[in-house]
């Protein structure tokens, strides 16, 4: 009997070890996931899409959402998941191009749609690689290990590690993605020589786009007046033809259902990737949605008033806990969130603050401003004086950060108006000097960067720019409608 018990206990012990080993083999740490996704990151890295600004922007936005999803997977006890649909433009390898039987709309890369709905890192990584037709052998093996300390930002931060053994590429003859990335990042293009090479192409495209530009302005003005809208905007830099098509769709809907669209009176309409109401209360019309979805959204607009009131109450409660600091949502500094997503973010942040009450003197921080963000782990101070605070920030660390940065934040807020005025004046000076039709910047370009760029432009004679539309961005490009994009830190 005693021997039987010992055997049973031994078998139970071995079974537990086996289960533990299986679980260890199947699970991935945050560092493992980064390591396993390296081929994917190189396939979609925005720096490889410098000549394709639309695709670059799509990949940048999708990477932010993907990183947020991966970070949530690592949070202890996190169970609330909604399927997340992402689109990436994936660079084609030579072999993929040969094997592919489908014609590509754009040579060199293809669009891939990825749906994230798994609850563990391993399954998510496999789904991503499978969706992009990338090998999963390195994930299936048990050798996916990597020291998380080798990644900047610590555990849970999804950077793209690129230090691979060079002998592998020498032996196999494959291209080294690290060298490709470095070449894409370090290409030093001189502004004047680039303008000289691309002037004719830009002018030709601009001339062809002029009738459509006039049509766009006419449609926008008519719809704004007809529906009494505050504004009509676009989330991304779609082409003029695409924008006109979207306005025509909205115009047809206004003719079919004029009563329903009256609910949008006084609001801003934004054409974006999905339909809903934004955190700022704007009407988001998904460009891929049919009229039926738009109609349902306009019908539901009055019902969002209650949620907007709850959002304001929650912001006031957070403000009270933070010494009267104003809680803000700014589209130019944050992703475009639905009101439901933003309310959930506020509620989560409020719960964290309640769990550890902070000892701010009432109203001691009035006049300061706080913006919540999901893509970082440490609080930071924006150049315009806004506190940028992660939703998962440790309250105690946040308390210390705010106290030590409060005066600096006030100083920056006081200089904000001066900075904005300086930016507007320099923008106008450049527009006038070069006889530009329009001078604008990418939303991610800061005021300080724009000021630096304009000051340097004013020092140069640039006859190429006369009559052009110029965008200050991070890369060189001629957009499909003739807009010129130049990096803010352009070289001579």
């Amino acid at each position: 009997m005693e021997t039987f018990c010992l055997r049973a206990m031994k078998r139970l012990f071995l079974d537990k070890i086996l289960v533990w080993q299986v679980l260890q083999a199947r699970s991935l740490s945050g560092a493992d996931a980064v390591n396993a996704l390296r081929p994917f990151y190189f396939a979609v890295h925005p720096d490889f899409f410098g000549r394709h600004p639309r695709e670059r922007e799509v990949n940048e936005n999708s990477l932010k959402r993907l990183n947020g999803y991966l970070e949530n997977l690592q949070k202890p006890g996190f169970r609330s998941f909604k399927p997340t649909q992402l689109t990436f433009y994936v660079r084609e390898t030579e072999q993929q191009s040969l094997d592919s039987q489908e014609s590509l709309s754009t040579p060199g890369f293809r669009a891939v749609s990825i749906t994230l709905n798994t609850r563990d890192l391993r399954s998510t990584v496999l789904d991503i690689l499978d969706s992009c037709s990338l090998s999963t052998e390195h994930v299936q093996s048990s050798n996916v290990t990597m020291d998380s300390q080798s990644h900047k930002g610590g555990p849970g931060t999804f950077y793209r590690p690129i230090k691979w053994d060079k002998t592998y590429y020498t032996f196999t003859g494959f291209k080294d993605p690290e060298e490709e990335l470095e070449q894409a990042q370090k290409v030093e293009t001189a502004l004047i020589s680039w303008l000289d090479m691309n002037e004719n192409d830009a002018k030709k495209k601009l001339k062809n786009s002029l009738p459509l530009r006039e049509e766009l302005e006419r449609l926008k003005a008519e719809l704004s007046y007809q529906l009494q809208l505050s504004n009509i905007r676009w989330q991304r830099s779609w082409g003029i033809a695409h924008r006109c098509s979207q306005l025509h769709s909205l115009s047809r809907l206004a003719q079919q259902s004029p009563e329903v669209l009256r609910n949008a009176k006084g609001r801003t309409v934004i054409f974006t990737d999905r339909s809903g109401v934004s955190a700022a209360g704007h009407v988001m019309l998904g460009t891929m949605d049919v009229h039926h979805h738009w109609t349902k959204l306009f019908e539901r607009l009055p019902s969002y008033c209650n949620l907007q009131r709850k959002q304001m109450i929650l912001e006031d409660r957070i403000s009270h806990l933070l010494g009267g600091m104003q809680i803000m949502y700014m589209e130019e500094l944050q992703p475009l969130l639905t009101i439901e997503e933003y309310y959930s973010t506020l509620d989560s942040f409020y719960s964290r603050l309640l769990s550890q009450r902070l000892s701010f003197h009432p109203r001691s921080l009035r006049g300061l401003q706080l913006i919540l963000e999901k893509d970082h782990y440490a609080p930071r101070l924006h150049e315009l004086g806004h506190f940028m605070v992660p939703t998962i920030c440790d309250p105690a660390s946040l308390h210390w950060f705010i106290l030590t940065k409060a005066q600096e934040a006030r100083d920056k807020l006081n200089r904000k108006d001066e900075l904005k005025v300086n930016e507007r004046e320099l923008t106008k000076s450049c527009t006038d000097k070069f006889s530009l039709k329009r001078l604008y910047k990418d939303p991610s370009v800061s005021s300080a960067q724009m000021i630096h760029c304009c000051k340097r432009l004013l020092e140069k004679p640039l006859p190429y720019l006369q009559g052009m539309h110029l965008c200050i961005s991070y890369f060189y490009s001629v957009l499909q409608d003739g807009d010129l994009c130049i990096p803010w830190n352009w070289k001579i």
Side-chain angles (χ1 to χ4, degrees):
M1 182 68 179
E2 182 178 354
T3 302
F4 175 79
C5 292
L6 288 173
R7 287 177 179 174
M9 291 176 64
K10 183 178 181 181
R11 178 174 296 177
L12 180 61
F13 178 72
L14 291 174
D15 287 345
K16 285 184 176 181
I17 292 178
L18 179 61
V19 170
W20 180 83
Q21 289 175 335
V22 170
L23 289 175
Q24 286 293 100
R26 289 184 177 180
S27 63
L28 291 181
S29 68
D32 291 338
V34 175
N35 192 29
L37 285 173
R38 285 189 298 181
F40 165 75
Y41 285 130
F42 278 116
V44 302
H45 200 293
D47 284 348
F48 288 115
F49 294 82
R51 294 184 178 273
H52 306 280
R54 177 179 175 275
E55 288 74 15
R56 177 190 179 102
E57 184 178 10
V58 169
N59 281 11
E60 285 177 344
N61 292 333
S62 294
L63 278 173
K64 289 179 182 178
R65 295 178 62 195
L66 171 61
N67 290 344
Y69 187 93
L70 294 174
E71 289 168 4
N72 284 335
L73 285 176
Q74 297 177 84
K75 295 178 183 177
F78 191 86
R79 292 292 180 269
S80 177
F81 280 90
K82 294 181 180 178
T84 300
Q85 187 81 27
L86 301 177
T87 297
F88 284 100
Y89 286 92
V90 180
R91 293 193 303 139
E92 289 281 12
T93 63
E94 293 178 4
Q95 185 61 41
Q96 286 173 329
S97 299
L98 291 172
D99 293 342
S100 176
Q101 299 300 317
E102 299 179 2
S103 61
L104 301 176
S105 58
T106 308
F109 52 83
R110 58 196 167 92
V112 171
S113 180
I114 300 175
T115 301
L116 304 177
N117 56 11
T118 53
R119 294 176 177 269
D120 65 276
L121 280 174
R122 183 184 181 84
S123 299
T124 303
V125 168
L126 289 172
D127 285 349
I128 293 170
L129 295 174
D130 281 334
S131 298
C132 298
S133 302
L134 296 171
S135 173
T136 60
E137 291 181 3
H138 60 296
V139 186
Q140 304 290 358
S141 69
S142 59
N143 296 325
V144 184
T145 57
M146 192 171 185
D147 183 8
S148 62
Q149 296 303 317
S150 65
H151 302 290
K152 296 179 181 179
T157 306
F158 286 82
Y159 290 88
R160 271 80 82 191
I162 57 176
K163 297 299 180 184
W164 291 2
D165 192 337
K166 303 294 184 181
T167 56
Y168 170 76
Y169 303 104
T170 303
F171 180 76
T172 61
F174 293 151
K175 292 181 179 179
D176 183 351
E178 178 184 347
E179 291 182 359
E180 287 187 352
L181 181 59
E182 289 176 352
Q183 291 173 4
Q185 291 175 328
K186 292 182 179 179
V187 170
E188 297 287 343
T189 303
L191 174 64
I192 294 178
S193 62
W194 184 85
L195 289 174
D196 186 48
M197 288 187 297
N198 291 277
E199 178 188 13
N200 291 335
D201 181 37
K203 287 184 174 179
K204 181 180 178 181
K205 289 181 177 179
L206 179 60
K207 182 180 179 179
N208 293 337
S209 73
L210 290 179
L212 277 176
R213 290 180 185 271
E214 294 176 1
E215 174 74 358
L216 179 68
E217 292 303 316
R218 183 188 65 80
L219 286 169
K220 184 177 177 181
E222 286 182 359
L223 277 170
S224 296
Y225 177 78
Q226 178 185 354
L227 302 178
Q228 300 183 53
L229 299 174
S230 174
N231 195 9
I232 298 177
R233 296 194 282 108
W234 285 263
Q235 179 195 8
R236 295 200 277 108
S237 52
W238 283 296
I240 304 297
H242 195 175
R243 296 188 183 199
C244 285
S245 175
Q246 293 159 2
L247 290 182
H248 279 299
S249 293
L250 182 59
S251 180
R252 287 194 296 271
L253 182 60
Q255 295 173 4
Q256 297 166 3
S257 309
E259 293 295 326
V260 174
L261 266 67
R262 287 179 183 174
N263 291 332
K265 179 181 178 180
R267 292 181 183 261
T268 293
V269 167
I270 304 177
F271 289 97
T272 179
D273 295 322
R274 51 182 176 156
S275 297
V277 173
S278 76
H282 304 323
V283 180
M284 300 163 54
L285 298 182
T287 57
M288 300 301 292
D289 292 337
V290 296
H291 281 184
H292 173 72
H293 292 138
W294 288 6
T295 302
K296 289 294 184 183
L297 173 60
F298 283 113
E299 289 176 348
R300 296 197 309 269
L301 282 181
S303 66
Y304 281 96
C305 294
N306 186 43
L307 184 55
Q308 286 177 302
R309 284 193 293 269
K310 289 183 177 180
Q311 174 183 318
M312 294 173 62
I313 292 172
L314 195 50
E315 287 174 338
D316 287 341
R317 290 176 177 173
I318 295 173
S319 175
H320 178 73
L321 293 177
L322 295 178
M325 187 182 299
Q326 183 182 5
I327 313 303
M328 302 183 67
Y329 174 79
M330 300 178 66
E331 287 180 8
E332 58 267 33
L333 298 179
Q334 296 173 267
L336 190 58
L337 302 176
T338 65
I339 190 170
E340 294 91 347
E341 291 170 338
Y342 186 58
Y343 183 85
S344 175
T345 297
L346 287 172
D347 188 52
S348 174
F349 184 65
Y350 179 62
S351 298
R352 293 180 70 87
L353 292 180
L354 279 180
S355 66
Q356 185 176 343
R357 286 191 173 273
L358 307 182
S359 55
F360 290 116
H361 189 278
R363 298 183 295 279
S364 62
L365 299 177
R366 288 184 66 179
L368 297 181
Q369 299 170 345
L370 181 144
I371 296 173
L372 291 175
E373 56 181 359
K374 291 185 175 181
D375 297 332
H376 294 81
Y377 278 87
R380 56 195 178 95
L381 188 60
H382 191 266
E383 66 163 353
L384 298 180
H386 314 298
F387 280 99
M388 310 293 290
V389 177
T391 55
I392 60 172
C393 182
D394 174 58
S397 300
L398 175 61
H399 179 261
W400 176 251
F401 183 80
I402 291 176
L403 287 179
T404 56
K405 295 289 184 178
Q407 187 56 50
E408 183 182 351
R410 292 189 189 279
D411 293 340
K412 287 188 174 184
L413 283 171
N414 291 334
R415 293 196 301 267
K416 179 177 68 173
D417 292 339
E418 179 183 343
L419 195 65
K420 288 294 185 182
V421 169
N422 193 9
E423 180 183 357
R424 284 195 296 269
E425 289 177 348
L426 286 169
T427 300
K428 185 178 186 304
S429 296
C430 284
T431 302
D432 294 341
K433 176 180 178 178
F434 303 116
S435 301
L436 291 164
K437 283 289 185 181
R438 185 188 178 201
L439 174 59
Y440 62 103
K441 68 176 184 177
D442 187 275
S444 58
V445 173
S446 70
S447 294
Q449 290 170 336
M450 184 67 171
I451 289 171
H452 174 77
C453 178
C454 288
K455 284 182 177 179
R456 296 180 63 225
L457 286 175
L458 289 170
E459 297 172 356
K460 303 295 177 184
L462 298 170
Y464 317 89
L465 300 180
Q466 185 174 357
M468 302 303 294
H469 293 247
L470 180 64
C471 175
I472 308 303
S473 181
Y474 291 93
F475 50 86
Y476 288 101
S477 178
V478 177
L479 302 186
Q480 63 188 46
D481 296 304
D483 292 43
L484 290 167
C485 290
I486 64 172
W488 69 270
N489 56 344
W490 48 271
K491 308 297 181 184
I492 299 297

